[in-house]
Amino acid sequence: MIANIVKPGHKTRGVLNYLYGPGRANEHTDPQLVAAWDDFVPDPGRNPAATLAQLADVLDLRVKQAGHKAPKNHVWHCSIRAAPEDRHLTDDEWAAIARRVLDATGIAPAGDPDACRWVAVRHADDHIHIVATKVRGDLRPPRNWNDFLRADKELVAIEKEYGLRQVPRGDRTAAMRPTRAEQEKARRTGKARASREHLRTIVRTAVSAATNTEEFFRIVEGTGALVDVQYFPSGDVRGYKVALDGDTNAQGEPVWFSGSTLAPDLSYPKVAERLTATAATPAERADATAWRRLAQAVDQTPDRLAHDEDKAGQAHIAVLAEALDAIPLVAPADLRPQLVQAATIFERAARSRIRAQHQQAQATRRAVKAILREPAPKDGALLVTVLDALLLAVIAAQHWHRTRNHTQQAEAARQTAEHLHTAYQAAATEPLTALHHRGQNLAQWLLQGQAAAVRQALPDLAEQILAEPGWPALAATLNDATTAGRGAPAALLRQAARHRELDTATNLSEVLTWRLIRLRESSPGKPPRTKAAGRVQPGSGPAPRATLPESRPRSR
């Protein structure tokens, strides 16, 4: 059950016209009062003699009595909606819910004879609207600060008592949704998304690509968006705002959005905090491609989330979002729709009330930015190892959020994993087929040796693995890793199994195949680090090779 309290207005009759009218798409059916501050309030939906003007007059009585002391915007409007799967609530149940919300918010405390006047109108099965005028009987305004949080807390209790779906609650870190006016403007102009959402994607992807704030602004401008940077008198950047070229208001001026209104982590200070480019450290292999470094860095994310402090864990989840934003820019065209969906959904999982310690995730961040400056891998298996590592990291992020009661973030991570898995399956088909053929062509004595290693390392799972269609691909991969000097087959399998959740895997051999490929690519004798690199040094890098989504040349 969700409450939506809109910005206060000053026209009581205007709100009533909407509530008792047909709706914007004739969706309002049988408008009626289900409750009011007084049992004798006229109901235009049930009493033919009652009018909307009469109802507005009785609601506004105290507003007129208060005169100039009444608040200018005196109309309080709250809608309460049940979940689609909830049972049909009766009028009496909705009336009780309305009174509890009004009591919790301070608009009409229970038993207060001077409480504000209000009505609850139902014009659909799944929701009601509460309209109140914010002048009490003593002609003072109500004490209704933090009304949304207080209403939401009461709805949590109502869901439990009424046996309704318990809606995942946020922590006020979600990005602001487009307003109704923004959505309607997008529909009128034939746009698939509102400007706020389009700009959020542009800015978020620019953060994943840029290495410093100057480059960040250049990349955003390169998409055709307008950028206005504000400065302190000292010359330091104070903030920025962006607009879509051609998106104007009634006066013909650009419709600007500051970074913080796009998303809490896109304000200038938070963007600048992340855009600290670092030089390669001795812990990073100079001979490894950016894609291999990214796969290895992301592969460590589950361990880091399990053992690092919360601030470091939040940093690794934030940089995981940057990786998901960057991958669609350089991935094959057939994979991009699912990858874009994954990145868009995971945006909600990237933030929580825990403040990220971004220095702890710089190695992964460097690898993310580097893949945009290198050619895309011709080896399909390399892309799959990255997607497989990302999938495991997203599942680990879901668990991390769930254990901290971050319900919205955990759900976003779960949905992200579904889209990632679809993209992974599509990308893995060709490389797995090639590995399968190689495995089938291995000498019989080699296959028998690899099977013995599986039975030795994973005795409880061995027969399942050996019976799977993916076993030849795993055998070929295990042979490659052994030949590369990574260790004995049984030891490699045990190491791979330790780093993967095998209980929920539907194809064990496939899971182990990609894990072994990443182990084979890592530097011999150097186990994955569990602590982040040390002090970072500011720097800059070359412009990224990839362009952002829907980009076009900028002309002024």
Side-chain angles (χ1 to χ4, degrees):
M1 189 165 279
I2 297 174
N4 180 34
I5 299 175
V6 301
K7 189 179 294 185
H10 64 281
K11 293 183 179 179
T12 307
R13 174 67 184 273
V15 177
L16 295 176
N17 284 342
Y18 168 71
L19 298 186
Y20 278 91
R24 292 181 173 86
N26 294 314
E27 73 274 23
H28 296 176
T29 58
D30 191 23
Q32 57 177 301
L33 281 184
V34 293
W37 84 96
D38 186 278
D39 292 338
F40 299 99
V41 173
D43 180 8
R46 285 289 182 269
N47 184 355
T51 65
L52 290 178
Q54 291 174 334
L55 181 56
D57 285 342
V58 293
L59 279 169
D60 281 339
L61 177 62
R62 290 172 177 170
V63 177
K64 295 175 181 177
Q65 291 173 341
H68 68 278
K69 293 183 179 180
K72 180 179 179 181
N73 293 317
H74 61 269
V75 180
W76 187 85
H77 179 193
C78 171
S79 63
I80 304 173
R81 185 179 299 273
E85 62 269 32
D86 283 340
R87 63 179 176 82
H88 180 91
L89 296 172
T90 67
D91 286 353
D92 288 343
E93 287 175 318
W94 276 119
I97 290 170
R99 289 189 173 93
R100 289 180 61 168
V101 169
L102 286 160
D103 177 43
T105 55
I107 293 292
D112 184 354
D114 286 330
C116 296
R117 295 190 167 198
W118 59 273
V119 294
V121 178
R122 180 178 189 175
H123 55 211
D125 287 341
D126 63 348
H127 70 278
I128 60 169
H129 291 260
I130 306 173
V131 179
T133 47
K134 295 174 59 178
V135 178
R136 290 169 42 82
D138 52 16
L139 303 186
R140 292 183 299 158
R143 304 175 68 180
N144 68 306
W145 53 79
N146 283 336
D147 49 7
F148 173 78
L149 293 179
R150 289 154 70 181
D152 197 54
K153 184 178 180 180
E154 186 64 24
L155 290 179
V156 171
I158 290 171
E159 288 169 350
K160 294 178 181 178
E161 292 176 27
Y162 283 68
L164 306 176
R165 179 195 169 195
Q166 296 183 31
V167 178
R169 253 61 197 189
D171 53 7
R172 307 188 78 179
T173 62
M176 182 177 175
R177 296 178 181 178
T179 64
R180 184 183 294 273
E182 291 169 2
Q183 293 172 334
E184 290 180 350
K185 182 178 182 181
R187 282 195 290 269
R188 287 197 310 271
T189 55
K191 302 291 178 59
R193 299 182 291 173
S195 296
R196 183 189 301 273
E197 294 174 311
H198 189 177
L199 287 167
R200 184 184 301 133
T201 299
I202 289 175
V203 173
R204 198 180 68 231
T205 313
V207 172
S208 70
T211 56
N212 53 54
T213 54
E214 292 79 10
E215 188 180 20
F216 164 69
F217 292 133
R218 288 199 303 271
I219 292 174
V220 175
E221 284 191 319
T223 68
L226 308 177
V227 180
D228 182 15
V229 183
Q230 295 95 41
Y231 296 90
F232 288 110
S234 63
D236 296 328
V237 176
R238 179 169 62 89
Y240 73 97
K241 55 185 179 179
V242 291
L244 289 180
D245 195 6
D247 182 23
T248 57
N249 58 20
Q251 291 72 42
E253 301 167 337
V255 179
W256 295 101
F257 296 87
S258 67
S260 60
T261 60
L262 296 178
D265 57 347
L266 295 182
S267 66
Y268 177 76
K270 293 188 177 179
V271 167
E273 184 181 3
R274 283 191 282 168
L275 293 183
T276 305
T278 57
T281 66
E284 295 176 355
R285 294 176 56 194
D287 62 326
T289 68
W291 286 87
R292 288 191 174 94
R293 294 201 306 273
L294 179 60
Q296 293 158 21
V298 174
D299 198 35
Q300 298 174 36
T301 300
D303 284 339
R304 294 182 184 274
L305 292 178
H307 300 108
D308 285 2
E309 294 181 355
D310 280 1
K311 290 183 178 181
Q314 180 61 58
H316 289 295
I317 291 177
V319 80
L320 182 59
E322 293 178 27
L324 291 170
D325 286 330
I327 290 291
L329 301 180
V330 287
D334 59 322
L335 301 180
R336 286 176 195 161
Q338 290 292 340
L339 294 174
V340 168
Q341 277 288 90
T344 302
I345 295 171
F346 195 76
E347 186 265 346
R348 180 64 193 99
R351 293 181 303 274
S352 72
R353 300 294 291 179
I354 299 170
R355 182 177 177 84
Q357 200 170 49
H358 289 295
Q359 295 85 349
Q360 301 296 323
Q362 288 293 9
T364 310
R365 183 169 282 110
R366 283 192 295 270
V368 170
K369 298 178 188 308
I371 65 169
L372 300 177
R373 292 159 172 81
E374 285 189 5
K378 295 181 180 179
D379 180 7
L382 188 53
L383 173 61
V384 179
T385 59
V386 172
L387 294 180
D388 183 58
L390 286 170
L391 178 57
L392 178 62
V394 167
I395 293 172
Q398 177 188 354
H399 176 73
W400 189 88
H401 281 307
R402 189 170 56 239
T403 57
R404 288 156 181 80
N405 295 319
H406 301 164
T407 52
Q408 288 188 352
Q409 290 91 333
E411 175 60 17
R414 185 195 64 79
Q415 294 179 27
T416 301
E418 292 179 354
H419 289 285
L420 265 182
H421 189 257
T422 301
Y424 156 79
Q425 286 183 313
T429 301
E430 186 175 340
L432 279 176
T433 301
L435 284 171
H436 183 86
H437 290 323
R438 286 181 51 212
Q440 287 180 320
N441 292 328
L442 286 176
Q444 192 63 30
W445 66 271
L446 273 175
L447 278 173
Q448 291 173 351
Q450 309 296 14
V454 173
R455 291 189 176 98
Q456 179 186 348
L458 305 169
D460 296 336
L461 303 173
E463 298 312 315
Q464 177 183 344
I465 293 171
L466 296 175
E468 288 178 348
W471 159 239
L474 174 58
T477 305
L478 187 58
N479 183 63
D480 291 344
T482 306
T483 305
R486 291 294 296 140
L492 286 172
L493 284 167
R494 279 192 290 267
Q495 186 178 358
R498 279 200 306 270
H499 288 78
R500 291 306 305 241
E501 50 155 11
L502 298 182
D503 321 355
T504 59
T506 56
N507 193 320
L508 298 177
S509 55
E510 190 174 318
V511 165
L512 292 169
T513 293
W514 299 117
R515 176 64 198 179
L516 284 171
I517 288 176
R518 287 201 295 281
L519 288 174
R520 185 188 68 199
E521 297 292 345
S522 63
S523 177
K526 292 183 179 179
R529 300 179 70 214
T530 57
K531 297 296 179 185
R535 187 170 62 94
V536 294
Q537 300 291 338
S540 61
R545 60 176 294 278
T547 54
L548 298 185
E550 304 180 48
S551 63
R552 56 187 175 82
R554 174 86 185 279
S555 60
R556 272 187 169 178

